[in-house]
Amino acid sequence: MKHTFEENYFNMKIKLFVLSFIFLSFFSFSQITQIVKGRVVDKITGIGLPGAIVQLKSSALNLVATANNDGLYKLAGVPVGRQSFLFMYTGYKPVPVNDVIITSGKEMVLNIELEESTVGLDEVEVKAINDTDVVSNMQSVNVKAFSIEETERYAGSRQDPARMAQNFAGVQGTNDSRNDIVIRGNSPSGLLWRLEDIDIHNPNHFAVGGSAGGPTAIINNKYLSNSEFYTGAFPANYGNALGGVFDLKMRNGNNEKHERTFQFGVLGTELSLEGPISKKTGASYLVTYRYSTLALFSTINFHLGTSAVPGYQDMGVRLNFPTKKAGVFSFSSIGGLSDIKIILSKTHERPKELYGDLNRDQYFSSNMGVGILSHVYALNSRTVMKTSLATSAQTIKGDQFLILRNDNFVPNDTLPQILGYDFKEVKSVLAWYVKSKLNPKNSIKAGFFANRFDVSYFDKVKVNSLYDTIAQAIENKAYKTRMNSKADFYLLQPYISYVHKFNEKLSFNGGVFSQYLTLNNKYSVEPRASLRYQFKVNQVLSLAYGLHSQMQSTYLYFTAPDSVLNPGTMPNTAVLVANTNKTLANKDLDFTKSQHVVAGYDYFANRYLRFKTEVYYQYLWNAPVYVVPSSVSALNAGSTFNRFLPIYEMANNGTGYNYGLEFTIEKLFHKHYFFMFSSSLYDSKYTASNGKTANTNFNGNYMLNALGGYEFNVGKEKKNILTLGGKITYGGGKRYSPVNIAASNAVMDVVAQDDKVNTLQFAPYNRLDLKISYKINGKKVGTEIALDLVNVLGTKNILALSYAPDPANINADPLIKNYQLGFLPLFYVKFDF
């Protein structure tokens, strides 16, 4: 009987085991999983760490992978949805990567950098997950590392890294029509754009000379990897910038599987392709292409509410060729073409278009492209060398024709041309650096950039007054040539930086960056230094200092102002004379310089809740201003669709200062939600040649952002994700000046009263954005449907004053208020397969 019972019990256990196996097998086959792979490398050298451990942090599954000799790992069977991972290597600080979204349409690539510990191997231990998470999220002063998911997560960001950055403390985002990055009161032209360790031209469509932003980004987040954004006092490997740095990295394509992404939306129709070139060597490709959806619709005569259709297209390419002994070769390239025709002569009613002036037809185009060939080679286990050859180019062309109307607003048949310009700039770059980790406590990096500029600038204009009303007379006027130059010159930039870790708590980063401009033999030597003290596991104090310089907008050196200063034969006898010889009087301008000091405090209440505050002071000098008493300063340029072209000779006599306090509360994404509140209180002033200190164009005094989002797991197996997000922006209104009407009538443009510049301020800027997205994880295809509702309440924020006289009453007030975007719904649908 006992034997029979034990037999039956044993048979029952076998049956239960078989049933359990069948159930689990059915569950595992019904559950959609994905592959997570990538490379684990040393943070300093980028060399792979063989044997590194990658673990899925899950109570239900025990998935672990070990990196091979090149640091490559692969983790199969990871369920779709939000997942967390832990990366470990003996002698290195472990790094958690939390709440990564895994989708069915594409394999997830996580490339992770581990930092070697400064303590002995016998002291190294894997800390509790809570402490590890906090330490890994601590960041140095002035830098924000961001993931590409953040460009999609934030409401109102439009998948644009620049607009995403406008949510950070210290950054202004009060211009709906452009993605300019105004950092701590600096001009947006003070921003440095860097791609794959190469400084590039403005990567935005419809870019104007001297600007660093635009209405639409050329950059596509489909090919970006995790990148960094600096807000001042940046390290010694960056230069030629006063405000900040956007350091972008491109990711490699999948080297084992061909994958595709198709996206259709209001802002563009795009296709992305990636996959292996050779599975044996690990070579891969990644190609993206995007075309303006509005332009696509216009080809079939379907217009979405605007007669001025912005036409643009852009693409990105990344080719990666690793070798066994010769290092890694890669080619990276982005580029874009854009044009717009604003034809107002065909309308008999005053339009309310966003772009352009009401009294002229405008034809505008801008193109930008960069190609980078790089080679990375490990000299030994602790030293890496990188060499890059690159070419970056930009062309900008514009033509404007004056519209003369009768009292009934009917345009004259003759449209005399009043403006034409053609800018071409090519920059060829040789970049090289070597970085070495001398030991766990000390590392050094030294390198240089050798930049050759080949430029061609042409600009002509006819200055007309309100009372020039005869088309033929304007047609017969002579042009004033403001620029007509071709030249080549070099900008040489050597640098060296050194990092010393005193212990696990205290570290120092110092170095020197220098620049030499062969165009006028100007140079700058710039020390940089920062300290980081992690006095508790969840608290960090930081201090940074930097001397920074920036050359002027390249075209500015080749302008021929109307009037120049004749030094005279005796001391103090200089007089202003007409520049009849078209002398390039601004060619000798020096670098604008600044000193920037920043102190910060970072506190994690727990692994997901962060408080950060920074206080800063920046002093600027050597800013170009007129040689005659005036309020004009180059510190105010670079934020509109108009170029700054000086009418008087300029000298480096201007100054300015920015100071402020920033505070951020950030709940990192966890348990289905995130939020961030960022605030900035600041003051931004400048002094020009009139000796008066005034508000800069960017002195809004305060900026507040509150944003967040919540995810719902929906569907039968909870594998799909519904996300609701929102953002509230509230900031100081744009600065403006009382207008000199008589002077404005004389040149048909807004001319400020020189002694009252920026003494007025528009009402505060405020905007509410909402975002709804739905991700569907099919067996082979991942689908996302998203709707971005920009300015949901249709708030009428004032952008600027414009000169727009009424032809029926030329004595009426010629000024009108230009308002920013109203309610703007943007949608897209994306397929990954």
Side-chain angles (χ1 to χ4, degrees):
M1 188 72 170
K2 183 178 179 181
H3 178 74
T4 304
F5 174 79
E6 288 177 347
E7 242 182 16
N8 291 338
Y9 181 72
F10 178 76
N11 290 335
M12 184 177 66
K13 286 173 64 178
I14 292 293
K15 290 177 182 177
L16 286 173
F17 175 78
V18 172
L19 288 173
S20 299
F21 178 79
I22 292 172
F23 174 79
L24 290 173
S25 298
F26 174 79
F27 177 79
S28 63
F29 278 111
S30 64
Q31 187 180 37
I32 298 174
T33 63
Q34 187 55 276
I35 290 174
V36 176
K37 62 183 184 180
R39 191 166 184 239
V40 185
V41 300
D42 181 272
K43 185 175 183 179
I44 301 297
T45 65
I47 295 175
L49 298 177
I53 302 297
V54 183
Q55 178 184 356
L56 174 67
K57 293 162 60 176
S58 170
S59 57
L61 295 171
N62 184 25
L63 295 180
V64 179
T66 303
N68 67 11
N69 289 336
D70 296 317
L72 299 170
Y73 73 91
K74 181 187 290 187
L75 205 60
V78 179
V80 299
R82 294 280 179 180
Q83 302 294 344
S84 298
F85 304 87
L86 183 62
F87 294 80
M88 298 172 287
Y89 188 67
T90 303
Y92 282 70
K93 299 176 183 178
V95 170
V97 179
N98 296 320
D99 296 289
V100 179
I101 187 164
I102 309 298
T103 62
S104 62
K106 277 193 163 187
E107 296 179 350
M108 172 56 65
V109 177
L110 293 177
N111 295 316
I112 302 299
E113 297 177 337
L114 298 185
E115 181 181 357
E116 189 171 4
S117 176
T118 60
V119 299
L121 290 179
D122 56 338
E123 301 178 61
V124 175
E125 60 180 22
V126 177
K127 297 182 180 180
I129 296 300
N130 288 5
D131 290 349
T132 301
D133 286 352
V134 169
V135 171
S136 70
N137 285 304
M138 291 291 187
Q139 296 175 351
S140 300
V141 68
N142 294 324
V143 62
K144 168 69 175 177
F146 65 92
S147 66
I148 301 312
E149 184 192 347
E150 291 181 85
T151 65
E152 299 181 336
R153 182 191 301 167
Y154 297 163
S157 293
R158 311 182 204 177
Q159 297 183 306
D160 180 353
R163 283 190 165 89
M164 177 214 65
Q166 292 175 350
N167 295 294
F168 301 149
V171 183
Q172 275 182 263
T174 57
N175 188 338
D176 298 342
S177 62
R178 296 175 58 88
N179 63 4
D180 291 316
I181 299 177
V182 177
I183 301 172
R184 295 174 172 170
N186 285 280
S187 164
S189 61
L191 177 74
L192 173 70
W193 285 100
R194 178 170 287 187
L195 178 71
E196 288 297 319
D197 296 318
I198 296 294
D199 301 344
I200 63 174
H201 286 95
N202 181 354
N204 287 283
H205 291 295
F206 309 102
V208 299
S211 71
T216 304
I218 290 174
I219 296 167
N220 191 322
N221 65 354
K222 304 292 186 300
Y223 52 66
L224 287 182
S225 178
N226 290 352
S227 303
E228 293 181 329
F229 176 61
Y230 291 86
T231 54
F234 31 84
N237 54 313
Y238 301 102
N240 201 29
L242 298 175
V245 177
F246 226 128
D247 190 355
L248 302 172
K249 304 293 183 184
M250 296 185 77
R251 67 180 181 88
N252 295 323
N254 194 324
N255 60 4
E256 295 181 325
K257 178 184 176 183
H258 295 281
E259 296 178 328
R260 298 154 294 276
T261 296
F262 174 77
Q263 180 171 311
F264 174 80
V266 173
L267 297 179
T269 301
E270 54 192 277
L271 178 66
S272 175
L273 305 172
E274 62 180 291
I277 296 175
S278 169
K279 292 184 179 181
K280 182 178 180 180
T281 64
S284 64
Y285 70 89
L286 171 62
V287 179
T288 67
Y289 176 77
R290 175 172 54 186
Y291 192 85
S292 165
T293 300
L294 296 179
L296 199 63
F297 283 164
S298 71
T299 61
I300 56 174
N301 292 321
F302 182 73
H303 299 283
L304 295 177
T306 177
S307 59
V309 178
Y312 55 87
Q313 54 187 310
D314 50 65
M315 71 180 301
V317 177
R318 171 74 173 181
L319 306 176
N320 191 60
F321 300 94
T323 67
K324 289 185 177 181
K325 295 183 179 181
V328 178
F329 295 87
S330 64
F331 176 75
S332 308
S333 179
I334 67 170
L337 311 175
S338 54
D339 68 88
I340 189 169
K341 299 175 182 178
I342 306 174
I343 310 298
L344 301 180
S345 58
K346 293 183 179 180
T347 181
H348 291 194
E349 296 181 3
R350 186 185 301 275
K352 295 182 179 179
E353 294 281 356
L354 174 65
Y355 304 105
D357 296 284
L358 303 178
N359 62 352
R360 62 195 67 186
D361 285 350
Q362 300 186 62
Y363 301 81
F364 179 80
S365 66
S366 70
N367 306 319
M368 175 269 175
V370 59
I372 306 166
L373 181 63
S374 297
H375 175 231
V376 178
Y377 183 73
L379 299 176
N380 54 50
S381 62
R382 289 184 172 270
T383 306
V384 170
M385 178 178 69
K386 183 175 183 179
T387 307
S388 299
L389 291 172
T391 297
S392 179
Q394 183 182 56
T395 64
I396 304 172
K397 183 174 174 42
D399 294 286
Q400 296 184 10
F401 298 82
L402 185 64
I403 303 170
L404 298 169
R405 301 179 184 274
N406 62 20
D407 293 350
N408 297 321
F409 216 72
V410 177
N412 193 300
D413 290 336
T414 301
L415 302 174
Q417 184 174 6
I418 57 172
L419 175 66
Y421 60 91
D422 190 0
F423 286 11
K424 296 184 179 70
E425 183 175 312
V426 178
K427 184 173 70 168
S428 304
V429 185
L430 169 62
W432 176 88
Y433 70 73
V434 61
K435 57 183 178 181
S436 180
K437 186 168 64 173
L438 306 176
N439 52 52
K441 290 189 174 184
N442 298 280
S443 60
I444 190 169
K445 180 179 181 179
F448 67 83
F449 299 93
N451 307 274
R452 175 189 166 96
F453 290 82
D454 290 273
V455 300
S456 173
Y457 299 118
F458 177 76
D459 178 281
K460 62 179 182 179
V461 66
K462 292 180 180 178
V463 180
N464 301 285
S465 76
L466 177 66
Y467 307 103
D468 290 321
T469 58
I470 301 174
Q472 195 57 50
I474 297 173
E475 192 95 309
N476 294 334
K477 269 188 179 183
Y479 281 103
K480 179 176 72 173
T481 302
R482 296 185 289 189
M483 302 178 69
N484 188 13
S485 294
K486 291 184 179 181
D488 61 80
F489 54 93
Y490 291 85
L491 178 66
L492 306 177
Q493 302 169 299
Y495 64 89
I496 186 169
S497 63
Y498 169 70
V499 176
H500 175 69
K501 300 175 184 177
F502 297 94
N503 49 48
E504 290 290 281
K505 295 182 178 181
L506 182 62
S507 62
F508 168 80
N509 186 334
V512 177
F513 184 93
S514 56
Q515 306 194 89
Y516 174 67
L517 185 63
T518 64
L519 178 68
N520 53 21
N521 295 320
K522 303 297 183 182
Y523 68 91
S524 177
V525 179
E526 306 160 22
R528 317 278 175 80
S530 67
L531 283 171
R532 183 178 186 273
Y533 179 44
Q534 187 169 341
F535 61 98
K536 290 187 178 180
V537 70
N538 63 338
Q539 298 182 63
V540 171
L541 290 172
S542 52
L543 180 67
Y545 164 80
L547 171 61
H548 305 279
S549 72
Q550 185 177 28
M551 64 181 287
Q552 310 308 322
S553 296
T554 316
Y555 77 88
L556 192 61
Y557 295 106
F558 300 96
T559 53
D562 295 346
S563 303
V564 296
L565 202 63
N566 188 328
T569 58
M570 300 291 291
N572 301 320
T573 60
V575 293
L576 201 66
V577 298
N579 187 15
T580 54
N581 296 326
K582 299 300 179 183
T583 302
L584 304 183
N586 298 318
K587 195 172 183 178
D588 201 42
L589 286 173
D590 201 350
F591 295 95
T592 300
K593 299 182 179 181
S594 80
Q595 298 197 66
H596 202 158
V597 180
V598 186
Y601 171 68
D602 210 347
Y603 168 68
F604 264 82
N606 56 52
R607 76 175 84 169
Y608 298 109
L609 183 59
R610 176 192 192 194
F611 298 83
K612 183 173 184 177
T613 185
E614 291 186 356
V615 59
Y616 65 89
Y617 180 83
Q618 181 185 22
Y619 177 72
L620 302 101
W621 75 100
N622 264 19
V625 295
Y626 285 160
V627 293
V628 297
S630 168
S631 63
V632 172
S633 171
L635 295 179
N636 282 328
S639 65
T640 69
F641 290 102
N642 298 319
R643 299 162 301 148
F644 169 59
L645 290 168
I647 58 175
Y648 299 109
E649 181 182 347
M650 305 192 81
N652 293 99
N653 296 326
T655 61
Y657 64 83
N658 304 304
Y659 65 87
L661 173 68
E662 300 163 2
F663 181 68
T664 301
I665 304 175
E666 184 177 12
K667 161 63 171 59
L668 304 178
F669 191 97
H670 184 62
K671 291 187 177 180
H672 304 288
Y673 75 98
F674 78 96
F675 66 80
M676 182 171 72
F677 172 79
S678 65
S679 60
S680 306
L681 297 174
Y682 64 98
D683 196 28
S684 178
K685 296 287 202 303
Y686 80 102
T687 304
S689 57
N690 60 3
K692 295 185 177 181
T693 299
N695 296 300
T696 67
N697 289 356
F698 317 106
N699 193 17
N701 290 131
Y702 61 93
M703 192 75 210
L704 306 172
N705 288 292
L707 60 153
Y710 195 94
E711 285 187 357
F712 301 87
N713 294 100
V714 297
K716 292 182 179 180
E717 299 176 17
K718 303 296 183 182
K719 64 178 187 255
N720 301 329
I721 298 175
L722 173 66
T723 304
L724 302 178
K727 171 188 170 185
I728 299 174
T729 300
Y730 190 85
K734 294 281 187 180
R735 293 282 176 178
Y736 72 107
S737 312
V739 177
N740 186 328
I741 298 297
S744 299
N745 288 338
V747 296
M748 296 188 72
D749 201 356
V750 174
V751 178
Q753 293 183 22
D754 195 72
D755 59 339
K756 297 179 181 178
V757 166
N758 288 337
T759 55
L760 303 176
Q761 189 173 18
F762 291 124
Y765 175 96
N766 66 94
R767 197 179 86 194
L768 171 65
D769 301 331
L770 297 177
K771 183 171 184 177
I772 305 170
S773 71
Y774 185 53
K775 293 184 175 72
I776 304 170
N777 285 301
K779 289 185 177 181
K780 294 184 178 180
V781 179
T783 305
E784 181 183 3
I785 303 169
L787 180 63
D788 219 348
L789 304 174
V790 180
N791 195 7
V792 174
L793 302 179
T795 306
K796 296 184 71 174
N797 293 301
I798 303 174
L799 177 63
L801 295 177
S802 284
Y803 182 83
D806 188 346
N809 183 9
I810 61 174
N811 294 317
D813 186 357
L815 303 177
I816 62 170
K817 292 179 180 178
N818 276 353
Y819 289 92
Q820 306 211 48
L821 289 177
F823 173 54
L824 179 65
L826 302 170
F827 83 92
Y828 67 83
V829 57
K830 181 174 69 173
F831 303 96
D832 293 323
F833 54 98

